[in-house]
Amino acid sequence: MKKLIFILLACSLILGGCANYRDIELAGLDVVSFSMVSLNAAQVEVKLEVDNPTRATFEVVGVEGSIKKQGSEFASILQVDTPQKCRIAPGASSVANITLRGELSDPIAIFAGGLKQEHFTADVTIRIKQGIITKRIVLKDVPVGELVKEIIRK
């Protein structure tokens, strides 16, 4: 009986510390660097600013997505494995630098229909985790033109 009470108490304390994990949100996204890896792939370092109102440290465990041209997939985006862990401090706004690799789905599509910025949008999912709790931050139909302006400024 004592073990059961201890387990229930421990679970309530652990889960209570992350009760507001749904309030974790992306506060900002900036492009730090951009480089072409090959004719159909590029590598981009981005700076994510994440607000974490919980009392737990979270870790960015994955970033993935796609760039669409007028609704059709144009390129895929994946996080490149980095030796350092991207941690999000508790009760504060934290910055995590993430390296992403983008690859064109169809390299010939560059020549078909032009490359007007207003035709492109991005869908990105950022997964953060602490223990058994995983949160997905989903960005849908983000205009790529804003990111292109950020790259040009660098």
Side-chain angles (χ1 to χ4, degrees), residues 35-131:
S35 62
M36 292 299 296
V37 177
S38 66
L39 291 174
N40 67 338
Q43 194 158 307
V44 180
E45 184 180 352
V46 295
K47 180 173 70 172
L48 302 174
E49 184 179 349
V50 181
D51 287 333
N52 179 7
T54 71
R55 292 181 286 174
T57 300
F58 279 79
E59 182 179 326
V60 177
V61 293
V63 178
E64 56 193 28
S66 63
I67 296 175
K68 296 179 183 175
K69 179 181 178 185
Q70 296 175 325
S72 299
E73 186 170 318
F74 181 76
S76 61
I77 303 167
L78 287 174
Q79 179 180 354
V80 176
D81 291 332
T82 54
Q84 68 185 35
K85 295 188 177 195
C86 300
R87 298 194 184 274
I88 302 166
S93 187
S94 295
V95 173
N97 284 349
I98 307 286
T99 303
L100 303 174
R101 181 181 173 99
E103 292 192 18
L104 295 175
S105 301
D106 180 12
I108 303 300
I110 291 177
F111 304 109
L115 294 174
K116 294 183 179 178
Q117 292 178 13
E118 60 268 11
H119 293 169
F120 292 90
T121 59
D123 294 341
V124 180
T125 301
I126 303 164
R127 290 180 300 124
I128 58 174
K129 185 173 183 175
Q130 192 277 324

Side-chain angles (χ1 to χ4, degrees), residues 7-45:
I7 291 171
L8 290 174
L9 181 61
C11 287
S12 67
L13 288 174
I14 290 170
L15 293 176
C18 298
N20 55 350
Y21 77 96
R22 288 182 180 91
D23 295 336
I24 297 171
E25 62 182 30
L26 184 66
L29 177 113
D30 293 318
V31 176
V32 176
S33 67
F34 176 87
S35 62
M36 292 299 296
V37 177
S38 66
L39 291 174
N40 67 338
Q43 194 158 307
V44 180
E45 184 180 352

